[in-house]
Amino acid sequence: MSCCTPSPDRPAAPLVLGERGTGTHHVPQVTVPDQDFLMGDAHGDGHPADGEGPVHRVRVQAFDIDATAVTVADFRAFVEATGFRTDAEQYGWSAVFHLAVTDPERVAGRMAGTPWWLGVEGADWAHPGGPSSAAENDHPVVHVSWNDAQAYCAWAGRRLPSEAQWECAARGGRAGLRYPWGDELPGAGWACNIWQGQFPETNTGADGWITTAPVRSFAPNDYGLYQSVGNVWEWCADWFSPRYYAQSPVDDPRGPALGTARAIRGGSYLCHDSYCNRYRNAARSSNTPDSSTGNLGFRTVALSISEG
């Protein structure tokens, strides 16, 4: 279980896909060129259990990726076109950070080991804090599981990025850096949406946001990607293993063949050095495919010619 995204204890639910390839994906695209790059943590910042090393050479072919995370408006179009119901809606609840709960009377319980995460009945992609809240169209969609993201991709004729594609895109062509912009947080101003204050009780909101920010709130990286770190975690296609990097192929790695959790990347508005130092290019974590939380979303990549 990631410290930043709890894995709700839920029975298995069937994966229901949208009608394949019938939707229109409106998120602007950026092109990541063919390249070799060094993948992994070159600074020793990572949590050993996350398996951010060893640093290894990876070769990717050019691909198009969403400039931003998929927004509430984008996901709403999918739901309205297909009638899709997310895992959170089917289960009747999702995980909400305690300061973001809008309906305390709907709290069903706390997540084991992370008491600041509450299971809230009626929390879902359209109601991120609870049933009386309303998601904002230009914010990243959250409370979407890996299963839900896969359903959107099937409808839109897209797919989730591999971990290698995600990290390559996040780095923006700048080798070995901690963050998309460099190795240090800015001395003045803010470059991403993360926690400020004393976790988990006080977030000063000095960067302008307490929970999610609109998807274009901070400057993009050199490829034109917005908020690849901070704001919300993003699902990747790969199964997760902390040992995978030691055996990863050079060409277009796609993760282990099997697993129990899917990789997530980028950190979120809850990341803080004292708690979850994962708002970095190399940082990685995981969650079970049916898990949904208030800080977990996704972006997509275009299908290759062989996949189309």
Side-chain angles (χ1 to χ4, degrees), residues 7 20 35 56 88 94 129 182 203 205 208 214 219 227:
S7 299
R20 186 167 296 276
Q35 61 188 279
H56 56 291
S94 190
N203 187 348
Q227 298 193 92

Side-chain angles (χ1 to χ4, degrees), residues 15-244:
L15 174 58
V16 180
L17 296 178
E19 188 176 349
R20 186 167 296 276
T22 60
T24 301
H25 184 66
H26 292 286
V27 181
Q29 300 295 290
V30 300
T31 297
V32 177
D34 291 347
Q35 61 188 279
D36 287 20
F37 78 101
L38 293 178
M39 184 173 180
D41 172 27
H43 299 271
D45 297 326
H47 301 262
D50 291 346
E52 293 183 28
V55 175
H56 56 291
R57 186 168 64 91
V58 167
R59 181 178 301 119
V60 297
Q61 300 300 310
F63 62 96
D64 288 348
I65 188 169
D66 294 341
T68 72
V70 172
T71 67
V72 171
D74 299 317
F75 199 78
R76 189 186 308 279
F78 160 59
V79 169
E80 290 177 350
T82 63
F84 182 81
R85 295 182 71 240
T86 61
D87 277 337
E89 290 169 290
Q90 294 184 67
Y91 290 126
W93 64 277
S94 190
V96 181
F97 187 69
H98 73 112
L99 296 182
V101 173
T102 58
D103 301 80
E105 72 281 2
R106 301 296 293 273
V107 172
R110 295 179 182 271
M111 302 293 106
T114 53
W116 42 85
W117 281 107
L118 306 178
V120 177
E121 296 171 347
D124 57 41
W125 71 271
H127 310 93
S132 69
S133 63
E136 298 182 69
N137 279 336
D138 61 347
H139 285 234
V141 68
V142 293
H143 294 292
V144 286
S145 68
W146 187 89
N147 296 334
D148 302 332
Q150 285 289 93
Y152 176 93
C153 286
W155 171 76
R158 309 282 293 180
R159 67 171 176 81
L160 293 173
S162 68
E163 277 202 87
Q165 288 176 319
W166 189 97
E167 185 169 326
C168 181
R171 290 189 177 280
R174 305 183 70 183
L177 299 180
R178 279 194 176 93
Y179 310 111
W181 58 84
D183 280 335
E184 304 296 333
L185 291 175
W190 294 94
C192 61
N193 177 17
I194 55 176
W195 185 277
Q196 302 91 47
Q198 187 66 39
F199 189 87
E201 297 300 332
T202 305
N203 187 348
T204 67
D207 61 9
W209 308 98
I210 298 296
T211 59
T212 60
V215 294
R216 293 175 180 264
S217 296
F218 299 89
N221 73 4
D222 287 354
Y223 286 155
L225 265 74
Y226 288 85
Q227 298 193 92
S228 54
V229 300
N231 212 24
V232 296
W233 284 96
E234 298 177 5
W235 288 110
C236 289
D238 307 27
W239 288 112
F240 176 83
S241 169
R243 297 176 294 278
Y244 181 69

